[in-house]
Structures are given as structure tokens and as C-alpha cells.
Short mmCIF file of all heavy atoms in Angstrom, two decimals:
data_model
loop_
_atom_site.label_atom_id
_atom_site.label_comp_id
_atom_site.label_asym_id
_atom_site.label_seq_id
_atom_site.Cartn_x
_atom_site.Cartn_y
_atom_site.Cartn_z
N TYR W 17 0.28 8.29 -6.27
CA TYR W 17 1.11 8.54 -7.45
C TYR W 17 2.59 8.45 -7.08
O TYR W 17 3.37 7.78 -7.76
CB TYR W 17 0.80 9.92 -8.03
CG TYR W 17 1.77 10.33 -9.12
CD1 TYR W 17 1.69 9.78 -10.40
CD2 TYR W 17 2.79 11.24 -8.85
CE1 TYR W 17 2.60 10.13 -11.39
CE2 TYR W 17 3.70 11.61 -9.84
CZ TYR W 17 3.60 11.05 -11.10
OH TYR W 17 4.50 11.40 -12.08
N ARG W 18 2.98 9.09 -6.01
CA ARG W 18 4.39 9.04 -5.60
C ARG W 18 4.83 7.61 -5.28
O ARG W 18 5.98 7.24 -5.53
CB ARG W 18 4.62 9.92 -4.38
CG ARG W 18 4.51 11.41 -4.65
CD ARG W 18 5.03 12.21 -3.46
NE ARG W 18 4.83 13.65 -3.64
CZ ARG W 18 5.33 14.58 -2.83
NH1 ARG W 18 6.05 14.21 -1.76
NH2 ARG W 18 5.11 15.86 -3.05
N ALA W 19 3.91 6.82 -4.71
CA ALA W 19 4.26 5.44 -4.34
C ALA W 19 4.15 4.48 -5.52
O ALA W 19 4.57 3.32 -5.40
CB ALA W 19 3.34 4.97 -3.21
N GLY W 20 3.59 4.93 -6.64
CA GLY W 20 3.45 4.06 -7.80
C GLY W 20 2.39 2.99 -7.64
O GLY W 20 2.52 1.88 -8.19
N VAL W 21 1.31 3.29 -6.92
CA VAL W 21 0.25 2.31 -6.65
C VAL W 21 -1.05 2.78 -7.29
O VAL W 21 -1.46 3.93 -7.09
CB VAL W 21 0.05 2.12 -5.13
CG1 VAL W 21 -1.09 1.15 -4.86
CG2 VAL W 21 1.34 1.63 -4.49
N HIS W 22 -1.70 1.90 -8.02
CA HIS W 22 -2.98 2.22 -8.66
C HIS W 22 -4.04 2.43 -7.59
O HIS W 22 -4.15 1.64 -6.65
CB HIS W 22 -3.40 1.08 -9.59
CG HIS W 22 -4.47 1.46 -10.56
ND1 HIS W 22 -5.78 1.68 -10.16
CD2 HIS W 22 -4.44 1.68 -11.90
CE1 HIS W 22 -6.50 2.00 -11.22
NE2 HIS W 22 -5.72 2.01 -12.29
N PRO W 23 -4.86 3.47 -7.70
CA PRO W 23 -5.85 3.77 -6.65
C PRO W 23 -6.92 2.71 -6.49
O PRO W 23 -7.54 2.63 -5.42
CB PRO W 23 -6.45 5.10 -7.10
CG PRO W 23 -6.15 5.20 -8.56
CD PRO W 23 -4.85 4.51 -8.76
N LEU W 24 -7.16 1.88 -7.50
CA LEU W 24 -8.17 0.83 -7.40
C LEU W 24 -7.61 -0.49 -6.87
O LEU W 24 -8.38 -1.43 -6.65
CB LEU W 24 -8.82 0.59 -8.77
CG LEU W 24 -9.72 1.70 -9.32
CD1 LEU W 24 -10.24 1.34 -10.70
CD2 LEU W 24 -10.87 1.99 -8.37
N ARG W 25 -6.32 -0.58 -6.67
CA ARG W 25 -5.73 -1.83 -6.20
C ARG W 25 -6.29 -2.18 -4.82
O ARG W 25 -6.34 -1.34 -3.92
CB ARG W 25 -4.22 -1.73 -6.14
CG ARG W 25 -3.54 -3.02 -5.65
CD ARG W 25 -2.03 -2.91 -5.72
NE ARG W 25 -1.58 -2.97 -7.10
CZ ARG W 25 -1.32 -4.09 -7.77
NH1 ARG W 25 -1.47 -5.27 -7.17
NH2 ARG W 25 -0.91 -4.06 -9.01
N SER W 26 -6.70 -3.42 -4.65
CA SER W 26 -7.20 -3.87 -3.35
C SER W 26 -6.07 -3.90 -2.33
O SER W 26 -4.92 -4.24 -2.67
CB SER W 26 -7.82 -5.26 -3.49
OG SER W 26 -8.10 -5.81 -2.21
N VAL W 27 -6.38 -3.57 -1.11
CA VAL W 27 -5.36 -3.60 -0.06
C VAL W 27 -4.85 -5.02 0.19
O VAL W 27 -3.78 -5.20 0.77
CB VAL W 27 -5.89 -2.98 1.26
CG1 VAL W 27 -6.17 -1.50 1.08
CG2 VAL W 27 -7.13 -3.72 1.77
N THR W 28 -5.60 -6.03 -0.27
CA THR W 28 -5.14 -7.41 -0.11
C THR W 28 -4.03 -7.76 -1.09
O THR W 28 -3.38 -8.79 -0.93
CB THR W 28 -6.31 -8.40 -0.31
OG1 THR W 28 -6.81 -8.28 -1.66
CG2 THR W 28 -7.45 -8.11 0.66
N ARG W 29 -3.82 -6.91 -2.09
CA ARG W 29 -2.84 -7.21 -3.15
C ARG W 29 -1.66 -6.24 -3.12
O ARG W 29 -1.04 -5.98 -4.15
CB ARG W 29 -3.54 -7.16 -4.51
CG ARG W 29 -4.64 -8.20 -4.67
CD ARG W 29 -5.30 -8.13 -6.04
NE ARG W 29 -4.32 -8.26 -7.11
CZ ARG W 29 -4.10 -7.32 -8.04
NH1 ARG W 29 -4.77 -6.17 -8.01
NH2 ARG W 29 -3.21 -7.51 -8.99
N ILE W 30 -1.35 -5.73 -1.95
CA ILE W 30 -0.22 -4.83 -1.81
C ILE W 30 0.81 -5.48 -0.90
O ILE W 30 0.52 -5.84 0.24
CB ILE W 30 -0.67 -3.47 -1.22
CG1 ILE W 30 -1.67 -2.80 -2.19
CG2 ILE W 30 0.53 -2.56 -0.99
CD1 ILE W 30 -2.24 -1.50 -1.66
N ALA W 31 2.03 -5.61 -1.40
CA ALA W 31 3.09 -6.26 -0.66
C ALA W 31 3.70 -5.30 0.37
O ALA W 31 3.55 -4.08 0.28
CB ALA W 31 4.18 -6.75 -1.62
N ALA W 32 4.44 -5.88 1.32
CA ALA W 32 5.01 -5.09 2.42
C ALA W 32 5.89 -3.94 1.93
O ALA W 32 5.78 -2.81 2.45
CB ALA W 32 5.79 -6.00 3.36
N PRO W 33 6.79 -4.14 0.95
CA PRO W 33 7.62 -3.01 0.50
C PRO W 33 6.79 -1.86 -0.08
O PRO W 33 7.14 -0.68 0.09
CB PRO W 33 8.53 -3.63 -0.56
CG PRO W 33 8.56 -5.08 -0.22
CD PRO W 33 7.20 -5.39 0.30
N ARG W 34 5.71 -2.21 -0.74
CA ARG W 34 4.87 -1.16 -1.33
C ARG W 34 4.12 -0.40 -0.23
O ARG W 34 3.90 0.80 -0.34
CB ARG W 34 3.90 -1.77 -2.33
CG ARG W 34 3.19 -0.75 -3.19
CD ARG W 34 4.15 0.01 -4.08
NE ARG W 34 4.65 -0.81 -5.18
CZ ARG W 34 5.49 -0.37 -6.12
NH1 ARG W 34 5.93 0.87 -6.07
NH2 ARG W 34 5.90 -1.16 -7.07
N TRP W 35 3.73 -1.09 0.83
CA TRP W 35 3.12 -0.38 1.96
C TRP W 35 4.10 0.62 2.57
O TRP W 35 3.72 1.73 2.95
CB TRP W 35 2.66 -1.37 3.03
CG TRP W 35 1.32 -1.98 2.79
CD1 TRP W 35 1.04 -3.30 2.60
CD2 TRP W 35 0.06 -1.30 2.71
NE1 TRP W 35 -0.30 -3.49 2.40
CE2 TRP W 35 -0.93 -2.28 2.46
CE3 TRP W 35 -0.31 0.03 2.81
CZ2 TRP W 35 -2.28 -1.96 2.33
CZ3 TRP W 35 -1.67 0.36 2.68
CH2 TRP W 35 -2.63 -0.63 2.44
N THR W 36 5.36 0.23 2.64
CA THR W 36 6.38 1.16 3.14
C THR W 36 6.44 2.40 2.27
O THR W 36 6.53 3.53 2.77
CB THR W 36 7.75 0.47 3.18
OG1 THR W 36 7.70 -0.64 4.10
CG2 THR W 36 8.84 1.43 3.63
N ALA W 37 6.37 2.20 0.96
CA ALA W 37 6.40 3.33 0.03
C ALA W 37 5.16 4.21 0.19
O ALA W 37 5.25 5.44 0.14
CB ALA W 37 6.50 2.82 -1.41
N ILE W 38 4.01 3.60 0.40
CA ILE W 38 2.78 4.38 0.59
C ILE W 38 2.88 5.23 1.85
O ILE W 38 2.55 6.42 1.84
CB ILE W 38 1.56 3.44 0.65
CG1 ILE W 38 1.31 2.78 -0.71
CG2 ILE W 38 0.31 4.21 1.10
CD1 ILE W 38 0.25 1.70 -0.69
N GLY W 39 3.32 4.63 2.95
CA GLY W 39 3.45 5.39 4.19
C GLY W 39 4.39 6.57 4.04
O GLY W 39 4.08 7.68 4.49
N ALA W 40 5.54 6.34 3.41
CA ALA W 40 6.49 7.43 3.21
C ALA W 40 5.93 8.51 2.30
O ALA W 40 6.15 9.71 2.50
CB ALA W 40 7.79 6.87 2.62
N SER W 41 5.17 8.10 1.29
CA SER W 41 4.58 9.07 0.36
C SER W 41 3.51 9.92 1.05
O SER W 41 3.41 11.12 0.78
CB SER W 41 3.98 8.35 -0.85
OG SER W 41 4.99 7.72 -1.60
N VAL W 42 2.71 9.31 1.90
CA VAL W 42 1.70 10.06 2.66
C VAL W 42 2.38 11.15 3.48
O VAL W 42 2.00 12.33 3.43
CB VAL W 42 0.88 9.12 3.57
CG1 VAL W 42 0.10 9.92 4.61
CG2 VAL W 42 -0.06 8.27 2.74
N VAL W 43 3.41 10.78 4.23
CA VAL W 43 4.12 11.75 5.07
C VAL W 43 4.76 12.83 4.20
O VAL W 43 4.69 14.03 4.50
CB VAL W 43 5.18 11.05 5.93
CG1 VAL W 43 6.04 12.08 6.67
CG2 VAL W 43 4.50 10.11 6.92
N GLY W 44 5.36 12.43 3.09
CA GLY W 44 6.03 13.39 2.21
C GLY W 44 5.07 14.38 1.59
O GLY W 44 5.34 15.59 1.56
#
């Protein structure tokens, strides 16, 4: 939710900047 990524989105369809947001959101 914090990263703005749908939970059903395939990992093959996530761009590098969004992965950065996911990593930061996990830590946060």
C-alpha cells in the first residue's frame, strides 16, 4: 500500500523505481 503497488501484480511487470519504493516501504 505504501509503495502504491497492487498485490496481484506479477513481479515481471514491476519497474526498477517501483522496486526501490517497495524495498523502502518494507523497511519503513
Side-chain angles (χ1 to χ4, degrees):
Y17 171 76
R18 290 191 185 188
V21 177
H22 195 289
L24 291 178
R25 180 175 287 273
S26 170
V27 295
T28 63
R29 297 180 56 240
I30 298 176
R34 192 64 73 179
W35 277 118
T36 297
I38 292 172
S41 295
V42 165
V43 173

